[in-house]
Amino acid sequence: MNLLQQSRKIITTVILVLVLTLTTACGNSSNVAQLDRNPNQPALTQGSPYIALERGNTQSGQSFGDWVVQTSKGLIKDAYVRDNNKLGIVISPQVRPNEVRTLTKSLVQGFHKNFPNQDLTVLVYAPDKKLILTAQYDTQSNQIQYT
């Protein structure tokens, strides 16, 4: 009798594992995808022309990238921070060519306040994702060089 009870427990366990596996694998995963998605990043569809990257590869970089996009009032479409010393931004079509350098200088100053004591680089991309300006901040000279 003991062998019969043990066999029944094993079979019940195997069936339970199969049911849970199939339910998880075949269930509606769109709810999970919605929960995992960062609300600050746009939803991606298969036809999306541009895939948004993470805003930073560190927590402080992620926070600064989010802050840049949120406070730009639509002037910056996307931003990313890498290694806490490189900021890349994609400007919107609302930014006129004569405003790019002023916007970049403001970003360098804010970036320096958040990540002091290191040389910084700000890369500015046009709405079509082509690099249009690079600003390099040197901590020793306290100067910004534009290329």
Side-chain angles (χ1 to χ4, degrees):
M1 193 66 137
N2 195 13
L3 183 59
L4 183 61
Q5 287 178 340
Q6 193 173 14
S7 298
R8 192 173 6 164
K9 285 182 182 179
I10 291 173
I11 291 173
T12 304
T13 304
V14 169
I15 290 173
L16 182 62
V17 168
L18 284 173
V19 167
L20 288 174
T21 303
L22 289 174
T23 304
T24 304
C26 298
N28 186 357
S29 62
S30 65
N31 293 338
V32 174
Q34 288 297 326
L35 292 175
D36 289 343
R37 191 172 69 81
N38 182 342
N40 295 325
Q41 292 178 337
L44 302 177
T45 61
Q46 193 157 354
S48 292
Y50 175 67
I51 296 175
L53 300 172
E54 288 183 48
R55 294 254 161 85
N57 63 351
T58 65
Q59 184 60 43
S60 55
Q62 178 81 28
S63 297
F64 186 75
D66 289 340
W67 178 83
V68 166
V69 173
Q70 290 170 359
T71 58
S72 72
K73 298 180 181 168
L75 296 177
I76 298 173
K77 290 174 29 179
D78 200 6
Y80 68 88
V81 177
R82 296 293 179 265
D83 303 323
N84 293 338
N85 66 1
K86 184 181 287 186
L87 170 65
I89 63 158
V90 179
I91 60 173
S92 74
Q94 297 171 355
V95 179
R96 289 183 246 148
N98 62 342
E99 298 173 331
V100 172
R101 196 173 184 140
T102 305
L103 176 63
T104 304
K105 183 177 180 180
S106 295
L107 286 167
V108 169
Q109 291 170 345
F111 198 33
H112 174 65
K113 286 180 183 176
N114 283 276
F115 301 97
N117 304 323
Q118 59 182 323
D119 295 339
L120 304 171
T121 302
V122 176
L123 305 167
V124 181
Y125 295 89
D128 63 356
K129 315 302 183 284
K130 291 184 181 174
L131 182 64
I132 57 172
L133 182 65
T134 301
Q136 294 181 319
Y137 174 78
D138 180 45
T139 55
Q140 289 182 342
S141 66
N142 200 25
Q143 297 291 317
I144 303 170
Q145 182 177 359
Y146 301 94
T147 52

